[in-house]
Structures are given as C-alpha cells and as structure tokens.
Amino acid sequence: MPVNGVEARIVSILPATPSVTVFWLEYGGQHFYYQPGQWIDLFTPEGVGGYSITSTPSTPGRIRIAVKEGRSHPATHWLRHQACRGDTVRISQGQGTFYYSPAHGKRLFHLAVGIGVTPIMGIIAHVCEIHPDVSQTLIYAVNDPVEFLFREELMNLAREHPRLESTFMLSRPKPGWSGTQGRILNVLQSEYGLEEQASYYFCGAPSFVDETEAGLKALGVDAERLVFERWW
C-alpha cells in the first residue's frame, strides 16, 4: 500500500477499443498531485499495476486511465474483468518525468504506438489548455484501425486548437486502409521533416522507444530534446 497514496472510487468504466477500457477514478478533495503524462501505481485486491494518467487537472477531483487487456497481469485482469462502478482502489501520487516542461520549447512532436498514446493524450490536452501558443504534432500508429484510442477526442482538440495536428497511421498494411502506413520515423521525415528547435516526446514498447531514440539521435537530434517513457 502506498504511504502517500489516496483512496479513489471507480465512477466510470467504458470500453474504448476492443482491447482497451477507460476508467474514471474519483478522489474528491484529498490531496493528489500529478503532471499530465505521469503514471500512478494503482492498488487493487489482486495486486498493483502502473497506469498513465490520460486526463488533466481541468477535471479536479478525478483522473482518467486507460487499461489494455493483460490476462497475465493480476491488477490489469481485475480492472478489466472484475472491477465495478463504486469499487474502491488506492492510487499513488503522480510519478515519472514524462511530462511537458516549458524548457522543451514551443514546438513539440509526439510519437506514439498503440497504448503508448495514453500519457501523450494527457500532455497534448494539457499543453492545449495551458500553453496554447505551443505547436504540437502527433504521429500515432496502431496495427488495426479499430484500436485507435482517443481518436475522436484528439480530432476535436485539433479543431479547437489550430496549433495541434495529428496523423493516424497503421504500422503495417491492412486491406481497406488507404491512409498513412509504415514506420513512424519515416513518416516524420517525409511528411514533416526534422525541426532544429523541436522536442520529441515518444512512448510505447521498449523496442519502439529504443529504435526511436537511436533513430532521432542518428538524425542529429540532441539528447536533451528527447523525452520518452519506456514500458517494460
């Protein structure tokens, strides 16, 4: 049990894609601090799991997480298959260094694969709310179009904030898909190019993060402009 954690109640459970469920957790007036993009430890009756916060402080007293199917992970299995509205869990304060800092400048590229979009969702929304002069580009890849998470929400944000643009793409060809496909770094170079003053946020499986970090460095991007979250 986290020493500095707070009690939270599950107030909403919504299927978002065939493999991802979205939860809203309400902690009320208790002291809880996080930066959008950080993650929490969430303690369930079956164990603890780490989940990124996908919401922003503009929804006080509650946070949103998205949980992907994982039958071999006890906490995730409990959330996906046993948790009910009204159940109580315990959550840690926000953790990690994956969040926006003004020191990263006013030009951001966000690169996400699959469930790796979850912390980036919080960062994008927060920057739109608090730093509307910052230009943001999201390149988001999945294996199947039905697995795009928060797509409508991101498209609505782009309509409201002209400095945000998004590319939704597939990592590999799929019949019926006529949109962008391939490797994210290739799309970044061909569609947008590298910008000297830009910072690059990326999140996903370790192989994607390792490949993206190495690729951007090889293209001449300074290490201090790379901000990433590696999930094990």
Side-chain angles (χ1 to χ4, degrees):
M1 192 71 67
V3 175
N4 61 341
V6 300
E7 188 176 271
R9 184 167 57 91
I10 299 173
V11 295
S12 175
I13 304 175
L14 295 172
T17 77
S19 69
V20 179
T21 301
V22 169
F23 295 79
W24 279 97
L25 310 175
E26 190 172 81
Y27 57 87
Q30 301 173 89
H31 174 71
F32 178 77
Y33 178 79
Y34 71 96
Q35 294 272 16
Q38 288 187 309
W39 53 275
I40 55 166
D41 278 328
L42 188 151
F43 292 76
T44 76
E46 299 300 324
V48 61
Y51 306 98
S52 293
I53 301 169
T54 70
S55 53
T56 76
S58 65
T59 56
R62 55 173 54 192
I63 59 171
R64 182 179 65 178
I65 62 172
V67 180
K68 185 174 182 178
E69 181 63 68
R71 292 186 177 275
S72 63
H73 192 290
T76 292
H77 185 266
W78 182 84
L79 285 167
R80 291 267 303 175
H81 299 284
Q82 295 176 253
C84 299
R85 288 178 58 188
D87 284 347
T88 298
V89 295
R90 197 160 182 86
I91 57 176
S92 70
Q93 304 289 325
Q95 302 183 63
T97 59
F98 192 67
Y99 54 85
Y100 174 69
S101 166
H104 296 150
K106 294 189 176 183
R107 182 65 176 110
L108 310 179
F109 282 93
H110 304 283
L111 315 176
V113 171
I115 195 68
V117 77
T118 50
I120 287 174
M121 178 71 243
I123 292 171
I124 288 175
H126 176 68
V127 171
C128 285
E129 293 168 359
I130 307 299
H131 305 280
D133 59 329
V134 173
S135 295
Q136 303 184 86
T137 296
L138 168 68
I139 307 176
Y140 174 25
V142 296
N143 291 328
D144 190 310
V146 299
E147 290 296 342
F148 282 121
L149 184 61
F150 304 129
R151 184 176 187 178
E152 184 174 348
E153 184 174 340
L154 286 161
M155 292 174 67
N156 287 338
L157 274 174
R159 282 190 282 268
E160 297 168 4
H161 299 272
R163 290 185 179 274
L164 169 64
E165 59 181 333
S166 300
T167 292
F168 299 91
M169 59 176 287
L170 296 189
S171 299
R172 57 177 64 95
K174 188 174 180 65
W177 175 260
S178 59
T180 304
Q181 59 189 27
R183 295 175 65 249
I184 281 183
L185 280 183
N186 291 344
V187 174
L188 171 65
Q189 290 181 270
S190 63
E191 299 293 329
Y192 300 100
L194 296 178
E195 299 184 23
E196 184 178 353
Q197 297 303 314
S199 291
Y200 297 83
Y201 288 71
F202 46 102
C203 181
S207 58
F208 166 73
V209 172
D210 291 343
E211 177 184 316
T212 303
E213 180 187 14
L216 288 171
K217 286 181 177 178
L219 292 168
V221 180
D222 292 338
E224 60 265 26
R225 294 196 172 275
L226 305 181
V227 187
F228 53 87
E229 182 106 295
R230 181 182 285 107
W231 292 349
W232 298 105

